[in-house]
């Protein structure tokens, strides 16, 4: 079984970009990774792969609405990144909306994550910021490692304060989440916000080149433009998910 990593936090904190950069880091030495995003508000497959033709049949909605979910069904819905064949993606396709599929069930989400973990070394669940969304809660519950990304400002602080009670149950392992300052900029009160939220495990600084990769649809190339502080945080996550020493410093 592969390890599962959940990524959650407030909107605009860089969760999806981080998920793609982490996938590139994990895919070193031909380790296989699947990123799953089950957010119907913004279908992610056309965001991740704007230059690839994605069939409507590839939507993760077909998996989640299936009466029986197994590894074969999941494998058939994974879109492989052509430039990085050890990275697969699962998400909604262009045109999908909240009315496209029946309400997502907890058991279906849990089965999706479990069956995907049978196929690869790592599964990254890229959660949306709306925590009532059942995908986010299920992904956090099922994860071996949970990454919490917050903007180091009042928006990030108050998002955490309002969502912390939703994760109070022991099954969410709230105290074990790794918290990173997303899109951190020099003008942010990083130390002050860190004191309020209980400290940062690391910084994910904003970079114009990273932003350009995302804007141009080359999100999986963003790792090439991460500054040392960003890569220090990535390497810290790699250490926690038990990547061996030779693979930690990339």
């Amino acid at each position: 079984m592969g390890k599962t990593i959940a990524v959650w936090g407030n909107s605009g904190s860089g969760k999806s970009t981080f998920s793609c950069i982490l996938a590139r880091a994990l895919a070193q030495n031909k380790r296989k990774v699947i990123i799953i995003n089950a957010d119907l508000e913004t279908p992610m497959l056309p965001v991740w792969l704007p230059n690839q033709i994605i069939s409507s049949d590839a939507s993760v909605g077909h998996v989640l609405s299936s009466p029986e979910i197994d590894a074969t069904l999941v494998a058939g819905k994974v879109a492989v990144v052509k430039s990085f064949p050890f990275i697969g993606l699962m998400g909604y396709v262009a045109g999908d909306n909240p009315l496209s599929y029946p309400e997502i069930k907890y058991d279906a989400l849990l089965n999706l994550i479990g069956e995907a973990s049978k196929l690869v070394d790592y599964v990254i669940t890229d959660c949306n910021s709306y925590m009532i969304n059942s995908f986010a809660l299920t992904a956090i519950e099922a994860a071996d490692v949970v990454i919490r990304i917050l903007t180091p400002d009042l928006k990030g602080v108050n998002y955490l304060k309002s969502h912390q009670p939703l994760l109070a149950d022991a099954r969410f392992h709230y105290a074990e989440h790794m918290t990173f300052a997303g899109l951190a900029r020099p003008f942010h009160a990083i130390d002050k916000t860190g004191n309020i939220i209980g400290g940062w495990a690391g910084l994910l600084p904003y970079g114009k080149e990273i932003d350009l990769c995302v804007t141009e649809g080359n999100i999986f190339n963003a790792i090439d433009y991460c500054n040392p502080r960003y890569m220090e945080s990535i390497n810290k996550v790699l250490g926690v998910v038990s990547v061996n020493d030779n693979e930690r410093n990339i």
Side-chain angles (χ1 to χ4, degrees):
M1 296 282 287
K3 289 196 173 182
T4 303
I5 306 163
V7 180
W8 73 281
N10 68 289
S11 61
S13 60
K15 298 183 298 295
S16 293
T17 300
F18 174 84
S19 296
C20 294
I21 291 172
L22 179 60
R24 279 287 311 275
L26 289 169
Q28 298 292 320
N29 294 334
K30 300 182 179 180
R31 292 176 180 269
K32 296 180 181 179
V33 185
I34 292 177
I35 305 176
I36 302 175
N37 180 295
D39 177 12
L40 260 174
E41 294 182 8
T42 305
M44 284 303 294
L45 280 180
V47 175
W48 286 325
L49 302 173
N51 300 316
Q52 289 185 212
I53 298 175
I54 306 295
S55 167
S56 60
D57 292 337
S59 176
V60 72
H62 290 295
V63 178
L64 292 172
S65 58
S66 174
E68 184 174 346
I69 299 174
D70 57 25
T72 300
L73 175 63
V74 172
K77 303 301 181 183
V78 175
V80 176
V81 183
K82 290 182 178 178
S83 300
F84 306 102
F86 292 96
I87 300 175
L89 307 171
M90 298 190 74
Y92 289 102
V93 302
D96 280 348
N97 62 67
L99 299 179
S100 297
Y101 299 97
E103 182 181 355
I104 301 175
K105 302 297 184 181
Y106 169 82
D107 288 343
L109 288 165
L110 207 57
N111 287 340
L112 167 63
I113 296 169
E115 295 301 318
S117 69
K118 295 177 182 178
L119 300 171
V120 293
D121 299 294
Y122 300 101
V123 174
I124 301 173
T125 49
D126 175 23
C127 305
N128 70 340
S129 57
Y130 185 55
M131 194 54 65
I132 297 301
N133 174 288
S134 55
F135 174 65
L137 291 175
T138 307
I140 292 171
E141 179 182 353
D144 297 297
V145 176
V146 180
I147 307 299
R148 178 168 53 224
I149 302 180
L150 305 170
T151 49
D153 53 20
L154 289 176
K155 181 179 179 181
V157 168
N158 283 286
Y159 173 86
L160 184 62
K161 285 183 177 180
S162 65
H163 285 76
Q164 185 174 357
L166 301 176
L167 300 170
D169 191 282
R171 71 182 190 274
F172 296 118
H173 305 286
Y174 181 87
E176 299 174 17
H177 298 188
M178 300 177 70
T179 308
F180 292 93
L183 299 183
R185 301 174 189 246
F187 58 78
H188 280 135
I190 294 173
D191 291 339
K192 186 174 182 179
T193 53
N195 289 335
I196 295 172
I197 61 101
W200 303 110
L203 303 183
L204 305 172
Y206 170 81
K208 291 182 178 179
E209 295 84 359
I210 295 176
D211 202 9
L212 186 61
C213 285
V214 176
T215 302
E216 293 182 340
N218 296 315
I219 193 169
F220 289 98
N221 291 323
I223 192 173
D224 298 328
Y225 302 99
C226 293
N227 71 22
R229 297 297 295 275
Y230 202 120
M231 291 312 302
E232 181 181 333
S233 296
I234 289 290
N235 283 322
K236 185 173 291 188
V237 175
L238 296 185
V240 171
V241 296
S242 300
V243 178
N244 67 49
D245 290 339
N246 291 329
E247 295 173 302
R248 289 180 189 177
N249 299 307
I250 53 178

